Amino acid sequence: MSGTETPHEAVITSYAKAPARTVSAGGVTYAYRELGPKGGIPVVFFVHLAASLDNWDPRIVDPVAKGRHVIAFDNRGVGASTGQVPDSVEAMADDAYTCIKALGYDKIDVFSFSLGGMVAQALVVKHPELVRKLVLTGTGPKGGKDIDKVARTTYWDILRATLTRSDPKEFLFFNRNATGKAAGRAFVNRLKERTVDRDAEIKIKAFQTQLKAIKKWGRSAPDDLLSITQPTLIANGDNDRMVPSVLSEDLHRRIKDSKLIIYPDSGHGGIFQYHQEFAAVAVEFLGR
């Protein structure tokens, strides 16, 4: 672990103030942040397509960190982590496993969003003993219908955002009605609350490789999700254009005893639009 950690440091529960740290394993240096009280099983956050550590909504992370040790990390080739982005979701899961083990954990809870949810599924299928609880949001199963069209939607929304001088996430994550536009602007502003020691943005080549991995995931044979026996919480908006909302329902049907929440009048970023409601649900679920 990083030598910057001290045994008597104050407990930080604000993601905007979480220290940037690194851990090295397998020839890769992984960037991560941690916050919340130490001890027990940590909640590890798996982030979305094109995202670095600065893309987590503090209104989701902070409530979890009030009572749990939280770790967010950049996978290989993303943000401040070294190496090259793998071209498959399964290889991303292997890297996540390497990072988690290097940090010294044999058991974790997972909070995942979008591409992070795909990586989390691949991780729990290959290493079921590692994961105690699973939160899957804005994501879909391997071989899920239309997942391979994510690149097309992404590039179109990036173009629309460029033409209006907006952040692409306002188009990709939120509906383009009055409610969605307001929620999108508020979300983007929350991501700016950390003003020092910010992460590096993803490089174009790394982003393109992630898109290729998602396309491959969408066109691959499905995993047997009946093997997932961990308590699982699934959530999405009712109008997810990136990873169609029906795929959240598909996950719910295939993962035994999972819980599903679909938020109305919201898109891919439904959990961020409804952050107050969802954070409370997530804290309760992870705290059981």
Side-chain angles (χ1 to χ4, degrees):
M1 290 198 200
S2 168
T4 59
E5 187 175 351
T6 59
H8 302 296
E9 62 186 335
V11 174
I12 295 170
T13 57
S14 166
Y15 189 60
K17 297 177 181 178
R21 296 190 165 125
T22 60
V23 65
S24 296
V28 176
T29 297
Y30 296 92
Y32 72 99
R33 295 176 189 163
E34 62 180 339
L35 64 160
K38 297 287 184 68
I41 296 171
V43 183
V44 181
F45 279 64
F46 287 58
V47 79
H48 62 84
L49 168 70
S52 67
L53 290 169
D54 289 327
N55 289 96
W56 277 117
D57 189 342
R59 298 303 181 276
I60 296 288
V61 179
D62 292 1
V64 176
K66 283 183 180 177
R68 295 290 299 278
H69 182 196
V70 166
I71 298 169
F73 73 103
D74 280 332
N75 218 330
R76 176 159 56 104
V78 176
S81 290
T82 64
Q84 294 185 333
V85 170
D87 64 359
S88 75
V89 168
E90 291 79 6
M92 294 176 189
D94 290 340
D95 288 332
Y97 181 80
T98 298
C99 177
I100 291 161
K101 296 298 285 188
L103 288 171
Y105 297 105
D106 295 319
K107 187 75 71 177
I108 64 169
D109 287 347
V110 169
F111 188 112
S112 64
F113 174 61
S114 194
L115 170 59
M118 300 170 195
V119 176
Q121 290 173 63
L123 177 70
V124 75
V125 166
K126 190 168 184 178
H127 301 284
E129 76 290 342
L130 178 67
V131 179
R132 184 187 70 135
K133 290 188 176 182
L134 189 58
V135 179
L136 301 171
T137 67
T139 195
K142 190 175 182 179
K145 181 174 168 37
D146 292 336
I147 286 180
D148 60 344
K149 295 183 174 64
V150 165
R152 184 188 311 169
T153 303
T154 300
Y155 284 128
W156 170 242
D157 280 356
I158 288 174
L159 174 62
R160 292 202 296 163
T162 300
L163 293 173
T164 57
R165 297 182 179 179
S166 305
D167 188 303
K169 290 184 286 295
E170 295 182 45
F171 287 81
L172 289 163
F173 288 9
F174 300 92
N175 291 339
R176 298 308 292 163
N177 57 17
T179 302
K181 287 179 180 179
R185 287 191 297 270
F187 170 71
V188 169
N189 286 334
R190 293 197 297 272
L191 299 185
K192 299 174 183 175
E193 290 179 358
R194 184 185 183 94
T195 56
V196 297
D197 202 13
R198 289 181 65 85
D199 200 2
E201 292 189 8
I202 193 167
K203 295 179 174 63
I204 292 176
K205 183 180 179 182
F207 169 59
Q208 292 172 334
T209 304
Q210 285 185 336
L211 285 172
K212 289 177 183 176
I214 292 172
K215 181 178 286 189
K216 190 184 295 184
W217 174 263
R219 294 181 177 178
S220 297
D223 282 328
D224 176 17
L225 299 185
L226 288 174
S227 66
I228 297 179
T229 58
Q230 289 84 351
T232 302
L233 172 64
I234 302 164
N236 206 345
D238 65 353
N239 184 40
D240 189 338
R241 295 170 52 253
M242 291 195 72
V243 185
S245 304
V246 293
L247 296 179
S248 293
E249 297 168 6
D250 187 19
L251 284 172
H252 175 51
R253 283 192 298 270
R254 293 168 60 189
I255 300 176
K256 187 179 179 182
D257 298 328
S258 58
K259 178 179 180 179
L260 174 67
I261 302 172
I262 299 292
Y263 289 106
D265 191 24
S266 59
H268 190 56
I271 65 166
F272 307 127
Q273 182 171 325
Y274 287 88
H275 58 86
Q276 287 183 304
E277 294 89 340
F278 184 69
V281 170
V283 167
E284 193 275 332
F285 172 77
L286 292 166
R288 287 182 205 153

